[in-house]
Amino acid sequence: MSINTFMVADSIVDTIKFDFLDLNTDKVVQNNGVDVTPSFDFIGMPTGIGFKQNVDTVEGDTIDYVVNQIIKKKNIKLQVYWKGSNAYQKYQSFNKLISMYLDVNKYHVRFSYEVSSVRRYVEVSIVDLELQGRDGRYTSATITMQPLTLWYEENSISFTMVSSANSGKIYNYSYPYTYGGGSYSDNNIIKNEFIKKMPLKIVIHGPASSPIMVSICEIDADGNAGSEYARVQFVSGFSINAKQTLTIDAFNNKIYLTTTNDQTGVVSVDDAFNSVDKSHDSFLFANPGQTKVSTNALTTTQSSITCSYKRYVL
């Protein structure tokens, strides 16, 4: 690609951004309140944006019958440029920052772009960063990214369920803030407009008594609840107190208990996967369409549950 090509304004290229997602907090890594992001001077149009699928069929005389459909993730590849007499130094700074967040068990690099005021994200692992050398005043590198998620348009959509005795509200944390009225009334709905199941993250804020259970069921077009199709339940005797939260994270395949010490304020995190009743599900995934979340964990005015998910797109 020539220098003149990528210097022309482009509605996608001009909005491209890298940042880093902390998997423990589901928040973008910041330094003094500012998102940590690697810097570059120019960037080329990436390849791999879009979608690919595999469709297995049985051939018929007039039509083929679909037996399986899989949405495939495509590697994303692009060229990054730095200019000036210190271009190599800029590349080294870029490389160093990326290297700090390479552990995919702790962080995901997040790549995004914006079209028509809507930002699309994908979480990736940078599998190849190759320095191409200097061309005049410019130094460039080729980056290949392996997607770890599908593309999504909302970083996180969430609602909080509280006890009917609680004066709190059900509200949506996603931007822009959208509020709903009333306390938990057993009608919290997830809308999955994607063609596949999507993972849910459930955070239970104690206290909650044994047996702790969260389940999901489908909702028909008239708003009627159908049969339960997934449930996470913890073993008898497992409970949490008011200083604890229990997280069921299908995004990262983790179940953990967070405890805050009353006296010191120190927060400890313990694996709770072995406390799950294995006769039920370990994680929750919402089917396409509408799904209702139910639980028995909202036993006091202090108790609440936050359910988070992402709006996936092709």
Side-chain angles (χ1 to χ4, degrees):
M1 176 179 293
S2 68
I3 298 303
N4 291 332
T5 301
F6 68 79
M7 288 182 67
V8 176
D10 185 283
S11 60
I12 289 180
V13 170
D14 291 347
T15 66
I16 285 175
K17 180 182 178 182
F18 295 91
D19 54 28
F20 306 99
L21 197 63
D22 187 324
L23 300 185
N24 288 325
T25 63
D26 283 334
K27 295 181 179 179
V28 174
V29 175
Q30 292 189 331
N31 183 18
N32 295 324
V34 179
D35 292 353
V36 174
T37 181
S39 63
F40 48 83
D41 291 314
F42 303 104
I43 199 164
M45 180 65 189
T47 62
I49 291 179
F51 76 93
K52 179 181 180 180
Q53 64 173 332
N54 287 348
V55 179
D56 296 327
T57 61
V58 175
E59 188 174 354
D61 291 335
T62 55
I63 62 173
D64 291 349
Y65 300 92
V66 176
V67 294
N68 195 29
Q69 180 183 21
I70 300 175
I71 304 299
K72 303 290 287 185
K73 301 177 183 67
K74 299 172 63 176
N75 279 2
I76 302 164
K77 192 171 183 179
L78 49 78
Q79 202 88 359
V80 180
Y81 299 83
W82 301 270
K83 66 179 180 178
S85 59
N86 64 338
Y88 279 119
Q89 183 179 342
K90 291 180 179 180
Y91 159 77
Q92 290 288 6
S93 296
F94 183 97
N95 188 5
K96 182 178 180 180
L97 188 60
I98 292 291
S99 300
M100 289 174 59
Y101 299 98
L102 276 185
D103 188 343
V104 294
N105 293 311
K106 295 181 179 180
Y107 305 100
H108 282 177
V109 177
R110 196 172 61 165
F111 173 79
S112 66
Y113 68 91
E114 187 174 308
V115 174
S116 301
S117 300
V118 177
R119 182 159 289 275
R120 286 194 165 192
Y121 305 88
V122 63
E123 294 166 30
V124 302
S125 174
I126 295 181
V127 294
D128 193 7
L129 175 58
E130 184 177 355
L131 181 64
Q132 298 298 310
R134 181 179 289 277
D135 180 7
R137 296 180 60 239
Y138 294 87
T139 295
S140 66
T142 302
I143 299 177
T144 303
M145 299 175 285
Q146 178 180 331
L148 302 174
T149 69
L150 293 168
W151 289 93
Y152 53 89
E153 288 185 349
E154 294 282 358
N155 181 24
S156 183
I157 305 170
S158 61
F159 58 79
T160 297
M161 302 159 55
V162 296
S163 168
S164 58
N166 196 319
S167 60
K169 294 182 177 180
I170 303 168
Y171 56 99
N172 189 318
Y173 286 115
S174 62
Y175 182 83
Y177 293 96
T178 305
Y179 293 85
S183 59
Y184 172 54
S185 57
D186 199 34
N187 64 351
N188 292 283
I189 305 300
I190 295 169
K191 294 182 179 180
N192 180 9
E193 299 173 331
F194 197 61
I195 64 173
K196 297 292 184 180
K197 292 182 178 182
M198 66 179 185
L200 305 179
K201 181 179 180 179
I202 306 292
V203 181
I204 303 172
H205 305 267
S209 303
S210 175
I212 299 172
M213 178 276 297
V214 182
S215 65
I216 51 179
C217 66
E218 291 181 345
I219 303 293
D220 64 23
D222 297 323
N224 300 313
S227 59
E228 175 184 298
Y229 68 85
R231 167 190 289 237
V232 174
Q233 184 166 316
F234 291 81
V235 296
S236 178
F238 180 84
S239 61
I240 62 175
N241 62 43
K243 297 297 182 180
Q244 294 177 312
T245 61
L246 179 62
T247 301
I248 308 163
D249 185 357
F251 292 100
N252 300 302
N253 290 322
K254 294 180 180 180
I255 300 177
Y256 54 92
L257 182 67
T258 304
T259 304
T260 302
N261 186 290
D262 273 335
Q263 298 177 333
T264 65
V266 173
V267 176
S268 61
V269 179
D270 298 294
D271 190 294
F273 183 80
N274 289 334
S275 297
V276 174
D277 185 339
K278 299 306 188 293
S279 64
H280 300 287
D281 302 287
S282 296
F283 301 97
L284 295 178
F285 293 82
N287 287 342
Q290 296 193 102
T291 291
K292 182 172 76 172
V293 180
S294 300
T295 183
N296 67 346
L298 304 178
T299 55
T300 77
T301 56
Q302 294 175 284
S303 307
S304 65
I305 291 183
T306 301
C307 175
S308 303
Y309 56 99
K310 295 174 181 177
R311 188 168 65 200
Y312 291 101
V313 293
L314 292 176

